[in-house]
Amino acid sequence: MTSTVPALSTRMAEGSALQAVLLDMDGTLVDTEGFWWDAEVEAFASLGHRLDERWRDVVVGGPMTRSAGYLIEATGADITLPELTVLLNDRFEARIARGVPLMPGALRLLTELAAHQVPTALVSASHRRIIDRVLASLGPENFALTVAGDEVARTKPHPEPYLVAAAGLGADPTRCAVVEDTATGVAAAEAAGCHVVAVPSVAPIAPVDGRVVVASLEQVDLGFLRKLVNGMR
């Protein structure tokens, strides 16, 4: 976990319950969910196995240990989980070295949050080595805190990553807005008690009471997030 500010700033607008914004990375801010699948397809092809496209929805958004473990079991590949984790990270890192496409609306949202000095954290199931690479495209200055999947004992869908992020910003989780693109991430944020807006990238996410689902990050701005936490939609 890396942090540039030790505690929550109280510079929020009067009348707003919002204390912090916590953002997922892959598929939410950067268009990389397809990169992960391509890396998985390549890795298993090198091991002599072909992945079934139907497995994509199973592994999307999950921690690498769960996704990689599922694919090893599904294919019967002769590789250990630690070996596959290194292989997948290597192949994914090679892909993002060529450039990371941002999701529509991502840069605008980050710029707006920074301009209004809203405490913001990046909360990802990706490992630190991957996050640090992607931060070069997102702008590390846009985040007071970043939490990687290999820096917590239990990653998404467990609430720990979001609880750690909120605590690191000195924020109450129930006064944090979270933006996520997968059911796994949404489950983690909701279990942490956060207010969630889902922006599905690969698999659909059902709207339920207390959860907002939108088609694009371009529909999300600071005013939207303040209303989300204030209980207005």
Side-chain angles (χ1 to χ4, degrees):
M1 181 174 71
T2 62
S3 175
T4 55
V5 233
L8 173 71
S9 162
T10 55
R11 299 181 290 263
M12 308 307 296
E14 288 187 17
S16 174
L18 178 68
Q19 288 186 342
V21 175
L22 316 177
L23 300 152
D24 175 54
M25 187 177 76
D26 294 299
T28 299
L29 294 177
V30 290
D31 192 5
T32 49
E33 289 291 10
F35 285 18
W36 278 114
W37 179 248
D38 290 344
E40 289 159 348
V41 168
E42 280 185 8
F44 278 90
S46 72
L47 298 170
H49 296 273
R50 182 175 180 178
L51 299 188
D52 190 319
E53 186 71 25
R54 291 174 299 178
W55 298 339
R56 184 172 183 173
D57 287 353
V58 178
V59 301
V60 66
M64 183 173 293
T65 51
R66 189 200 73 184
S67 300
Y70 173 86
L71 293 174
I72 289 174
E73 183 176 350
T75 61
D78 184 18
I79 189 170
T80 67
L81 185 57
E83 289 170 340
L84 181 57
T85 297
V86 172
L87 182 58
L88 291 176
N89 273 324
D90 285 347
R91 290 184 178 273
F92 183 80
E93 195 167 1
R95 287 181 173 276
I96 63 176
R98 305 171 203 150
V100 181
L102 271 58
M103 298 297 285
L107 184 58
R108 181 223 11 104
L109 177 60
L110 291 175
T111 300
E112 181 182 19
L113 294 175
H116 288 83
Q117 298 181 306
V118 179
T120 303
L122 185 68
V123 185
S124 177
S126 290
H127 290 189
R128 170 56 55 191
R129 60 181 281 197
I130 300 300
I131 287 181
D132 286 345
R133 279 273 195 174
V134 175
L135 277 173
S137 297
L138 288 174
E141 69 280 359
N142 289 316
F143 303 96
L145 179 73
T146 61
V147 179
D150 57 339
E151 295 173 339
V152 291
R154 295 159 296 187
T155 189
K156 304 173 187 179
H158 195 276
E160 183 177 348
Y162 283 110
L163 293 174
V164 167
L169 294 175
D172 180 346
T174 65
R175 295 180 66 181
C176 292
V178 169
V179 185
E180 271 280 0
D181 74 303
T182 66
T184 298
V186 166
E190 289 180 343
C194 303
H195 299 265
V196 183
V197 54
V199 191
S201 63
V202 176
I205 299 175
V208 298
D209 187 40
R211 175 194 306 163
V212 177
V213 180
V214 299
S216 168
L217 198 60
E218 292 183 303
Q219 296 173 244
V220 181
D221 58 16
L222 179 55
F224 181 103
L225 297 175
R226 283 176 172 158
K227 289 179 180 178
L228 180 71
V229 174
N230 285 348
M232 300 179 292
R233 299 202 290 272

